[in-house]
Amino acid sequence: MSRDLSDFRTVLSEDEINRALARMAHEVVERNKGASDLVILGIPSRGVPLAGRLADRVSSVDGVDVPVGALDVTMYRDDLRLRPARALERTEIPPGGVDGKVVVFVDDVLFSGRTIRAALTALDDVGRPRAVRLAVLVDRGHRELPIRADHVGKNLPTSLRESVKVLLSETDGRDAVLVGAADDVVHHADAGEAR
Amino acid sequence: MIRHLLSAADLSRSDATLLLDTTEEMLRLTEGRSVKKLPTLRGRTVVNLFFEDSTRTRTSFELAAKRLSADVINFSAKGSSVSKGESLKDTALTLAAMGADGVVVRHSASGAPYRLASSGWIDARVLNAGDGTHEHPTQALLDAFTMRRHLGDLDGRKIVIVGDVLHGRVARSNVILLNTLGARVTLVAPPTLLPLGVENWPCDVSYHLDPVLPDADAVMMLRVQRERMNAAFFPSAREYSRRYGLDARRFGLLSDEAIVLHPGPMNRGMEITADVADSERSVIVEQVSNGVCVRMAALYLMLAGADETADDVHEGAA
C-alpha cells in the first residue's frame, strides 16, 4: 500500500478482527442451522482472504468442510464506464456450484451497496442458490441501494470525508481496520476506496 | 492501456501481460458455466469490417463481442458498398454515423487499420484483425496465451516458427510479441520466403529445421498458401514438405514437453502431417477457443471503460 497511513487511527486490532470473525462464524451456522449446503464466496480483493478465514471457522464450529470461492464483480459494476477498464480479479466457483445452496458473500467493507448489487447480478450467471446472505467485516453506512448485511463484524459510523482501510496479513502483512481522512473530498459514497 | 490494438509492437510487456491475464479470467468465466454471457459491453456496438474474407477470425471476433453482450454488425467487402467503389474514408464516416464504438478491421493493404485509427474520420477504437503482410496482433496474443498455459512464463523459452514469413503477418506479430514477453524466437524458412531485413528482427533465422527442434519448447507451423506454389518460392510442394514439414520423424526430435501450434487453416500433409496435427501435444484446437477469450479480453480492455483522460466524466457523474 503506497499511501502513508500514519494519520489513520485503528478501530479494530488483530485480536478484535479474530473475535469478530469467530462470532460471525457462529452466527452463520446458527442462522443456517448447521453448515451443510453453505457456499462461502469472497468478493475480491480483500473479501477473498476473509472468506477463507470465515470458512475455516465455520468448518471448525460445525465440523463440516465448507466450500469456499471467489466472485469477481468487475464486469458487472454499474460504474464500469466512468473509469478506464480495470484488470479482472479471479473468479473461483467451488466444484459443487451454487444451485440450491445457501451462498454467503464476504466483503471487507459495506458502503454504497453497489458492489453487492453487482455480486448479486454476477451470481445470476453462475446459478440459482436457495438463498444469498451477506457477511462484512465493517459496515460503514452511507448505503445508496436497499441492501443490508446479515452478519457484521463491526458497525462503524463514518463521515463521507473519511476513508476506511482494511489491512489483512494475506495482502498487507498485518491485520487492522483503520479510519482516516479520505484522499480527496468525496462527493458520493461510490468514489471511496472501499465501496 | 493502449487506445487501439494495431500492432503487437504497441504493447509494452505490462500491457501484454494484462491482456493475457484478462484472457485467463475470460476463459475461467466462460468455461463450464450455464450462462456464457457477460453484460459488460451492453449497449456498445462493434463493427466487423472485413475487406478480406476470413471466416475464422470474423467468427471469433463476433462470438467474443456477443459473449460480452455488444451489438455486432458484420460488414464485409463483398456485396457491400465497398464493392461499388466506396473508399475507406467514406466507409469509416458511415460507420461513425452509425455510432460504432469499436471497429475490427481486416484489410489486404498493410496499414489500413492504422489509417482508420489515426485519420480522425472515426472516434471508435480500432482492432487490427490482419492487415496485408503487416500484422495480426490478436493471433499473436492467442498464440502467446496458449503457449503460456502449457509452458508457464515465456521468459527464456525457445519458440520455433516455421514457414512463410514473407507473406505471413502472423509470424511478424508473433516475433514482436514473444520478444516483448522475453521468449527467444527462431524463424525457419527457405530464403525465398523470408522478408528483406529479417536480420534486424529480434530473432534468430535458420534455413534448416532439424537442428533447432531438440531445444524448442514450442513449434509453430505456418500455413503455406497454395497460391504461392506457382510463384516459384519453392520448387514443389513435395520438396517444401520434405524440408520444412513437421512429420512423425521430426516430431520425435522434439522434447517430450514441447507443444505444436498452427494458426490454421492447416494443409494436412503439406506443412504438418495428420498424425502430428492430431497428437496429444498439438494444441491447435485449443488455439481456436483461446482466440475467442483473447478477443474478449481485448474488447473488454479497449471498450468497457472510459478514456483514461476522461476524469471529468467521473466527476460529472456524481
Side-chain angles (χ1 to χ4, degrees), chain A residues 74-76 80-93 121-122 124-127 187-188 190-191, chain B residues 18 22 24-26 28-29 33-35 37-40 42 44 300-301 304-306 308 314-315 317-318:
Chain A
T74 309
M75 287 197 285
Y76 295 86
L80 209 56
R81 298 202 181 170
L82 303 182
R83 312 168 191 202
R86 277 157 286 189
L88 302 181
E89 308 249 17
R90 175 124 315 171
T91 290
E92 192 117 41
I93 303 300
T121 316
D124 274 350
D125 291 349
V126 177
H187 296 299
H188 61 136
D190 197 47
Chain B
L18 174 64
T22 306
E24 188 80 45
E25 297 313 316
M26 292 296 181
R28 299 172 73 88
L29 285 169
R33 54 192 258 179
S34 49
V35 181
K37 218 171 167 79
L38 295 153
T40 315
R42 213 155 52 91
R44 301 247 162 155
Y300 166 70
L301 290 171
E308 310 224 356
H314 190 185
E315 294 295 319

